[in-house]
Amino acid sequence: MISTGFFISFEGVEGCGKSTQIRILRDRLKSENMPVRLTREPGDGEMGGRIRELLLSVSSALDPLTELFLLAADRTRHVTEIVRPGLAAGDVVLSDRYADSSVAYQGYGRELPLDFVHLINSRATGGLVPDLTFLMDIDPEISLRRSRIRLHQQNMFEAEGRFETECLAFHRRVREGYLRIARDEPGRYAVLDGTLPVENLSETIAAIAIGALAQRKEMETV
Ligand code: TYD
């Protein structure tokens, strides 16, 4: 266990496979007896669920600024009620999306000014930045097709939300945004090829995460 906890986020465009990978990593860390807490944005907890509904429902017409503020409200609550308490308890907190999603989607995707998105993020998070972030990088043309096929196979056409129905150009801007964020913070980011088979990716992710955790533990004992 690490006394300050360890914070890992997963990022990427729709259908990039991060939700599968985050669950595999959770199970792997648990099997090594590590205390793990899995969470997500938007919408963990009751209030988060309501914000999530507003954000994702195709029927809610939201302008980009309202969207950013709803996400920031959810993030503020998520950080104070879930992430910080988890870290204080010494857990490895795994978050399916976090503040970089707003930079990529609302900043690069919706084209809100980046410095404004950063400012809102820093207030919402109180400056809490993940120790490690995995970016599942994939061409959105491939990943959107993948997630649509999955929804159609499950007869869940209506499950397509406001973001899935955005045009390809939007998702391309989001992908490029993520790659820029990762380039700016190479120490925090691990960029992975999202087209690789699930097992290859999960092995790489586990190796990087376990390596980073061991390094942190070593630093704590020095
Ligand atoms: P979700 O169904 O959780 O999709 P995914 O599995 O791709 O994470 O929906 C979350 C959506 O919210 C997703 O399309 C990205 C979007 N989003 C933002 O636009 N900005 C944000 O800050 C966050 C956290 C999510």
Side-chain angles (χ1 to χ4, degrees):
M1 186 169 134
I2 294 169
S3 62
T4 52
F6 200 81
F7 185 19
I8 303 178
S9 60
F10 279 67
E11 299 282 358
V13 295
E14 319 301 299
C16 65
K18 66 184 167 39
S19 306
T20 303
Q21 291 299 335
I22 203 169
R23 284 194 293 267
I24 296 176
L25 181 63
R26 174 200 55 196
D27 295 345
R28 174 71 186 272
L29 297 179
K30 271 192 175 167
S31 75
E32 306 220 356
N33 291 323
M34 292 188 203
V36 191
R37 207 174 282 210
L38 177 56
T39 177
R40 72 168 175 184
E41 285 191 11
D44 224 354
E46 197 206 324
M47 183 179 152
R50 284 196 237 160
I51 298 180
R52 182 180 173 84
E53 241 178 78
L54 273 173
L55 275 165
L56 302 188
S57 148
V58 201
S59 59
S60 25
L62 301 177
D63 63 274
L65 207 52
T66 309
E67 187 177 275
L68 177 71
F69 287 144
L70 280 173
L71 286 156
D74 177 60
R75 183 159 302 131
T76 307
R77 183 208 49 82
H78 183 229
V79 169
T80 50
E81 291 177 14
I82 296 169
V83 182
R84 284 196 193 273
L87 295 175
D91 292 348
V92 179
V93 177
L94 303 177
S95 188
D96 190 339
R97 299 195 180 282
Y98 185 61
D100 292 339
S101 280
S102 285
V103 180
Y105 279 79
Q106 281 63 51
Y108 287 95
R110 300 275 190 235
E111 300 181 303
L112 285 175
L114 289 178
D115 52 353
F116 183 66
V117 177
H118 282 295
L119 175 70
I120 297 294
N121 264 348
S122 77
R123 296 309 287 260
T125 61
L128 182 69
V129 176
D131 297 293
L132 173 64
T133 298
F134 290 104
L135 171 59
M136 310 285 295
D137 178 51
I138 187 165
D139 182 339
E141 201 168 349
I142 300 173
S143 67
L144 285 170
R145 200 178 317 132
R146 209 155 79 173
S147 67
R148 277 185 194 134
I149 290 172
R150 204 172 44 228
L151 289 177
H152 285 214
Q153 278 169 346
Q154 298 165 344
N155 268 337
M156 288 171 66
F157 313 90
E158 73 287 355
E160 278 204 330
R162 253 162 25 84
F163 291 94
E164 282 93 341
T165 49
E166 274 295 336
C167 63
L168 193 55
F170 170 84
H171 292 285
R172 291 224 160 100
R173 288 199 297 277
V174 173
R175 182 199 191 187
E176 279 313 307
Y178 271 130
L179 289 171
R180 279 193 212 173
I181 302 168
R183 238 176 275 140
D184 287 345
E185 288 191 71
R188 168 163 72 94
Y189 258 87
V191 181
L192 304 164
D193 177 351
T195 62
L196 291 175
V198 172
E199 301 74 38
N200 289 23
L201 282 166
S202 59
E203 278 311 309
T204 307
I205 289 171
I208 294 173
I210 291 169
L213 283 159
Q215 203 179 2
R216 170 64 66 81
K217 215 167 185 175
E218 213 176 281
M219 275 161 61
E220 280 194 353
T221 49
V222 174

